C-alpha cells in the first residue's frame, strides 16, 4: 500500500498594518517618522523590518491625509515592495486600525498591527507573535518591567505592586483579522477608544497570548528616543 504524503502546513496570509497617523505632539510638532535615524527616516526602518520578514506577506500603511504622498514616495525610494496601499487614518487609533484592516487584502487571515514609530523591531519578535497568533488567534510581544512599581493615592505612595506580575506590551500585536475587526467595531459603537489593540480584543473576553518582546523595540516619542535608537543601531553594526 502506498504511503500517504504528509501535507505541508501552509502559513496563514499575514498583513502588517503600520499605524503612522499620529501628530508627533511630544516631538514638538515635527514629524518624527521622517526624522533621520542612521541615515534613513524612522519610518523607512519600520517598513524595512516588515519587508524583510518572511512571515509577512503584505503591508498596509495608515497615515494622515497630508502624509499619503510623502510616505508613498518614501516606500518607493526604499524598495518596500510588500506595500499594497497607503490609506488615510482616523481621529483615534481605533479608527485608524479599522481603516487599515479594511484596506488589507481580503484573503489576509492575520493582521499584525505595529506602531510606525517602532523602527527597531526584529524579525524574531515579529515572527513569534505571528506564529503564536496563527495558533491561538491573538498574540502580543511583552517585556518584563525593570523598575519597581508603586501605586499612588493622593500624591502619596500607597502600596507596592508586584513587579513579576507586570509587563510592558509592545507591537506588533497580531490577531485574526475577523476577531480584531469585531473588537474594534464593537469599541467604536460603544464610544470606546483604546490606545492598545489588545485591550479591545480582551474586552470581548478573548485571551491574548504573550510572546517575547525586546528592550530594543523602543517607541520613538521624544527627541531623546532618537539618540537611544541611534546608539542601539550603532551597537548592532559593530
Amino acid at each position: 500500500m502506498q504511503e500517504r504524503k504528509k501535507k505541508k502546513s501552509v502559513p496563514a496570509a499575514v498583513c502588517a498594518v503600520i499605524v503612522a497617523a499620529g501628530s508627533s505632539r511630544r516631538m514638538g510638532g515635527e514629524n518624527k517618522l521622517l526624522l533621520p535615524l542612521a541615515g534613513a527616516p524612522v519610518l523607512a526602518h519600520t517598513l524595512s523590518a516588515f519587508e524583510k520578514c518572511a512571515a509577512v506577506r503584505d503591508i498596509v500603511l495608515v497615515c494622515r491625509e497630508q502624509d499619503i504622498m510623502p510616505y508613498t514616495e518614501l516606500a518607493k525610494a526604499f524598495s518596500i515592495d510588500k506595500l499594497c496601499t497607503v490609506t488615510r487614518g482616523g481621529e483615534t487609533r481605533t479608527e485608524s486600525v479599522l481603516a487599515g484592516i479594511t484596506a488589507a487584502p481580503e484573503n489576509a487571515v492575520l493582521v499584525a498591527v505595529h506602531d510606525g514609530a517602532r523602527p527597531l523591531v526584529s524579525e524574531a519578535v515579529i515572527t513569534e507573535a505571528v506564529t503564536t497568533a496563527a495558533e491561538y488567534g491573538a498574540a502580543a510581544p511583552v517585556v518584563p518591567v525593570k523598575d519597581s512599581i508603586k501605586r499612588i493615592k493622593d500624591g502619596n505612595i500607597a502600596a507596592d505592586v508586584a513587579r513579576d506580575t507586570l509587563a510592558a506590551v509592545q507591537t506588533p500585536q497580531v490577531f485574526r483579522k475577523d476577531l480584531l475587526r469585531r473588537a474594534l467595531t464593537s469599541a467604536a459603537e460603544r464610544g470606546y477608544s483604546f490606545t492598545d489593540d489588545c485591550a479591545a480584543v480582551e474586552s470581548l473576553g478573548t485571551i491574548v497570548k504573550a510572546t517575547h518582546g525586546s528592550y530594543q523595540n523602543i517607541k520613538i516619542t521624544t527627541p531623546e528616543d532618537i539618540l537611544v535608537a541611534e546608539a542601539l543601531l550603532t551597537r548592532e553594526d559593530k
Side-chain angles (χ1 to χ4, degrees):
M1 190 157 113
Q2 192 174 8
E3 191 178 66
R4 286 186 183 178
K5 292 182 179 179
K6 289 184 179 179
K7 289 184 179 180
K8 291 183 179 178
S9 58
V10 179
V14 182
C15 178
V17 174
I18 310 298
V19 184
S23 59
S24 301
R25 283 190 298 269
R26 282 175 284 183
M27 197 63 77
E30 190 173 6
N31 188 340
K32 63 187 178 184
L33 298 183
L34 295 180
L35 291 175
L37 174 62
V42 168
L43 183 58
H45 288 278
T46 305
L47 293 172
S48 294
F50 288 86
E51 177 71 24
K52 295 172 184 174
C53 182
V56 174
R57 190 188 65 181
D58 301 293
I59 299 173
V60 168
L61 180 58
V62 185
C63 64
R64 300 177 300 177
E65 181 82 41
Q66 64 265 37
D67 293 325
I68 290 177
M69 285 309 299
Y71 289 176
T72 300
E73 292 302 316
L74 181 151
K76 287 180 182 176
F78 287 89
S79 302
I80 309 301
D81 298 326
K82 292 181 182 178
L83 183 66
C84 55
T85 187
V86 181
T87 190
R88 183 171 63 84
E91 294 298 318
T92 65
R93 182 182 177 86
T94 296
E95 291 174 355
S96 292
V97 176
L98 269 173
I101 295 172
T102 301
E106 282 189 22
N107 59 356
V109 177
L110 299 174
V111 287
V113 184
H114 187 68
D115 297 320
R118 289 188 188 270
L120 304 187
V121 64
S122 68
E123 183 168 5
V125 168
I126 298 170
T127 301
E128 185 182 348
V130 166
T131 303
T132 304
E135 183 174 358
Y136 296 101
V142 303
V143 290
V145 173
K146 292 181 179 181
D147 297 326
S148 295
I149 304 297
K150 305 291 185 181
R151 185 165 57 83
I152 304 298
K153 184 177 181 181
D154 300 326
N156 301 315
I157 294 177
D160 289 333
V161 179
R163 188 168 54 188
D164 58 359
T165 65
L166 301 174
V169 69
Q170 301 180 335
T171 64
Q173 297 177 4
V174 188
F175 311 93
R176 288 197 322 271
K177 184 173 70 171
D178 60 334
L179 170 64
L180 184 57
R181 189 199 301 273
R182 184 158 48 92
L184 294 178
T185 300
S186 173
E189 289 172 350
R190 290 178 291 164
Y192 295 160
S193 180
F194 297 103
T195 57
D196 175 74
D197 301 301
C198 287
V201 170
E202 289 162 7
S203 72
L204 296 181
T206 300
I207 292 173
V208 180
K209 289 289 185 179
T211 59
H212 293 93
S214 167
Y215 289 115
Q216 294 193 37
N217 186 19
I218 64 171
K219 186 175 182 181
I220 304 295
T221 304
T222 63
E224 294 78 12
D225 296 328
I226 288 285
L227 298 176
V228 173
E230 287 271 9
L232 290 170
L233 282 172
T234 301
R235 188 179 68 179
E236 279 187 357
D237 290 342
K238 288 182 178 179

